[in-house]
């Protein structure tokens, strides 16, 4: 199957308003910092590209990427986590590192996507990258070295994310990074168009804007942190986590986060 892309930028009045907002056109009070209107920009982007984000709820690659987070953390609870991981196509040696684990997870997601009827999509790639980034960023705090160590050290680091609180933190990081990547898909073109304007005069300002957006999405994803932890803990205990209930959960989580970003934008 070919790679399915999200498509062109939305050709709407709302999108043109967004580009003007980034460029600084029509904003009173002079030149503003890149972070000043990031909430409104994030909300307007969601409004202009809502259909694309809605598709994430039904994208098999996005669902599987999130499902793999649940399975890797659950595997860390067992006495032989390497065997548990192997059941999902993840192969670790005794001297494997966090980097090795994330590489194996990425490969497992690739194999799943290649077998799906839809094939790879922009959304599935964003989710896949967000899985690796969220695991690496959180494991970094829990291991001495991301590129050295042992499988047991990796398991110990991931095990801290297998609790209700730990998976809540992991879920927040995953959804925050996923939405940030989604918004950047559209905003990278808008910021490029605005480069040289009063708001974003050079590449350093674009980088500042993108970093502000990432932080904003991470913080906004706090709305799903407890939701992730509670669902993970209860579902794993009561019935076990599978692709079907992971898909249902992801749809609700994406809707919650989308609503949160739009509400924040309306308050600016």
């Amino acid at each position: 199957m070919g790679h399915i892309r999200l498509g062109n930028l939305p050709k709407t009045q709302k999108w043109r308003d967004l580009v003007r907002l980034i460029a600084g056109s029509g904003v009173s009070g002079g030149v503003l910092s890149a972070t000043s209107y990031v909430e409104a920009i994030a909300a307007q982007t969601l409004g202009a590209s809502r259909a694309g984000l809605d598709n994430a709820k039904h994208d098999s690659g996005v669902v599987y990427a999130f499902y793999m987070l649940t399975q890797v953390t659950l595997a860390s609870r067992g006495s032989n986590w390497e065997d548990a991981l192997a059941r999902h196509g993840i192969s670790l040696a005794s001297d494997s590192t966090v980097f090795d684990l994330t590489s194996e997870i990425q490969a497992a997601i690739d194999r799943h996507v290649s077998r799906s009827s839809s094939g790879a999509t922009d959304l599935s790639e964003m989710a896949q990258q967000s899985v690796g980034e969220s695991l690496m960023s959180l494991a970094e705090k829990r291991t001495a070295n991301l590129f050295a160590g042992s499988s047991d050290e990796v398991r110990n680091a991931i095990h801290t994310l297998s609790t209700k609180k730990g998976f809540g933190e992991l879920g927040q990081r995953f959804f925050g990074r996923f939405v940030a990547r989604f918004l950047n898909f559209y905003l990278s073109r808008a910021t490029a168009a605005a480069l040289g304007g009063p708001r974003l005069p050079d590449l350093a300002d674009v980088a500042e804007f993108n970093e502000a957006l990432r932080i904003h999405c991470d913080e906004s994803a706090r709305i799903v942190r407890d939701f992730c932890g509670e669902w993970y803990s209860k579902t794993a205990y009561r019935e076990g986590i599978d692709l079907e209930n992971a898909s249902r959960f992801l749809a609700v989580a994406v809707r919650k986060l989308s609503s949160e970003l739009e509400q924040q934008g309306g308050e600016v």
Side-chain angles (χ1 to χ4, degrees):
M1 295 291 177
H3 184 90
I4 300 175
R5 305 197 65 82
L6 286 175
N8 296 323
L9 289 170
K11 293 180 173 60
T12 62
Q13 182 62 43
K14 183 177 291 187
W15 185 259
R16 288 192 291 272
D17 290 343
L18 170 63
V19 175
R20 283 197 292 270
L21 183 60
I22 295 174
S25 175
V27 177
S28 62
V31 178
L32 302 177
S33 70
T35 58
S36 297
Y37 279 81
V38 71
E39 291 184 357
I41 290 168
Q44 286 196 35
T45 310
L46 280 173
S49 55
R50 177 181 294 279
L53 191 60
D54 284 344
N55 289 338
K57 305 172 188 176
H58 313 291
D59 189 294
S60 64
V62 176
V63 173
Y64 193 75
F66 174 74
Y67 170 72
M68 287 300 289
L69 283 181
T70 69
Q71 298 308 294
V72 169
T73 51
L74 287 173
S76 71
R77 293 179 172 183
S79 58
N80 193 333
W81 92 305
E82 291 171 4
D83 286 349
L85 291 175
R87 289 195 286 272
H88 298 285
I90 298 172
S91 177
L92 292 186
S94 60
D95 60 347
S96 291
T97 65
V98 173
F99 181 78
D100 294 326
L101 173 63
T102 56
S103 296
E104 283 289 312
I105 295 172
Q106 304 278 12
I109 296 172
D110 275 336
R111 289 191 294 271
H112 173 83
V113 168
S114 69
R115 294 192 298 265
S116 69
S117 59
S118 60
T121 67
D122 284 317
L123 288 169
S124 69
E125 289 190 358
M126 292 174 198
Q128 184 178 17
Q129 292 163 357
S130 298
V131 165
E133 189 176 354
S134 57
L135 279 173
M136 291 281 281
S137 63
L138 292 176
E140 183 178 16
K141 305 174 184 178
R142 296 164 167 85
T143 55
N145 193 322
L146 292 174
F147 305 98
S150 68
S151 176
D152 286 341
E153 291 176 0
V154 176
R155 175 187 172 276
N156 290 337
I158 300 301
H159 187 261
T160 65
L161 302 174
S162 72
T163 64
K164 177 180 176 180
K165 179 180 179 181
F167 193 82
E169 184 180 3
L170 180 60
Q172 176 184 354
R173 186 64 55 90
F174 168 76
F175 283 109
R177 297 301 165 88
F178 175 71
V179 172
R181 287 181 182 278
F182 174 82
L183 296 181
N184 257 321
F185 174 85
Y186 293 102
L187 287 173
S188 60
R189 305 185 192 185
T191 51
L195 187 61
R199 178 68 57 76
L200 300 174
D202 55 38
L203 289 173
D205 292 287
V206 173
E208 180 189 352
F209 175 85
N210 288 337
E211 177 64 9
L213 180 68
R214 183 192 65 76
I215 293 172
H216 171 66
C217 290
D218 276 352
E219 292 175 347
S220 296
R222 189 176 302 168
I223 191 72
V224 298
R225 181 177 62 191
D226 291 344
F227 184 49
C228 284
E230 290 172 4
W231 171 83
Y232 172 83
S233 180
K234 291 179 180 178
T235 306
Y237 176 75
R238 292 177 177 176
E239 58 186 289
I241 297 175
D242 55 30
L243 273 171
E244 184 177 350
N245 55 35
S247 177
R248 291 196 300 268
F249 171 81
L250 183 137
V252 178
V254 169
R255 187 163 61 247
K256 281 178 174 287
L257 186 51
S258 175
S259 297
E260 172 68 10
L261 286 166
E262 290 192 6
Q263 180 179 345
Q264 290 176 3
E267 295 170 353
V268 173

